[in-house]
Amino acid sequence: RVITMQRTWAILTGEYPPDVGGVGDYTRIVAESLVAAGDVVHVWSPSNATSAWVSGGVHVHPLPDRYLPRSLVRLQRELSSLPQPYRLLLQYTPNAFGLLGINYAFALWLIAQRMSPWVMFHELYMPLTLAQPMRYNALAIAQRLMLKLMMQSTVRAFVSIPSWGERLEDYASGQSIEWLPIPSGVSERVAPADAR
């Protein structure tokens, strides 16, 4: 007889269905798969909704903005009401957490909470190149500082493509970096006529 322990997951993301986006779709697949495995899953995401709902067994909590102070206050209150222990999982892209990917307040809040998140890095930062306007390079540098701050609290890092892992090593401080291939949201069973 196999004894399994039910885990509680708190997932922070920049988008979640019904909002449209690849990271949101990915997060839904992960969240619903964890529920199917018997875990309890809560997802926080910016939304126009005014109250929480359950979708596919996942408890979805709307945030009023992209992890700015108003959302951080709500998030801290709601996370403190979850049964302990829970695993915090962030779905990271630079713009997911607001302020063009330089929401230092969110990164510092995360460090101060000592939550030790696991982070799935879908993207790291904007490119840095002389071929683009200086304001984009300034943003690219600022996003790299944000990434450095994020890695200070991260205990386990995952990347969506192998080359992100190589780049993330420059910001790591001993964490292992693992590649997790993105599952396809496209059905494997497609009629030939539909494919054409």
Side-chain angles (χ1 to χ4, degrees), residues 69-143:
R70 194 166 48 142
S71 285
L72 295 180
V73 168
R74 179 183 295 177
L75 188 57
Q76 187 161 2
R77 181 179 68 242
E78 292 179 5
L79 285 173
S80 68
S81 71
L82 285 182
Q84 299 288 333
Y86 61 84
R87 168 61 57 207
L88 183 65
L89 174 63
L90 274 70
Q91 300 295 325
Y92 187 86
T93 64
N95 294 330
F97 299 100
L99 300 177
L100 301 175
I102 52 174
N103 188 349
Y104 299 146
F106 171 71
L108 294 171
W109 173 83
L110 199 58
I111 291 168
Q113 303 308 305
R114 295 191 169 104
M115 292 182 184
S116 305
W118 290 5
V119 182
M120 174 60 172
F121 291 95
H122 295 272
E123 299 171 10
L124 302 181
Y125 41 65
M126 286 183 62
L128 184 61
T129 173
L130 294 175
Q132 66 187 2
M134 185 57 79
R135 69 179 182 274
Y136 294 143
N137 284 331
L139 186 55
I141 292 168
Q143 286 181 351

Side-chain angles (χ1 to χ4, degrees), residues 189-196:
R189 288 181 238 133
V190 179
D194 292 341
R196 278 192 297 280

Side-chain angles (χ1 to χ4, degrees), residues 44-65:
W44 281 265
S45 178
S47 173
N48 291 325
T50 56
S51 61
W53 70 93
V54 177
S55 175
V58 178
H59 303 269
V60 184
H61 305 266
L63 294 174
D65 53 43

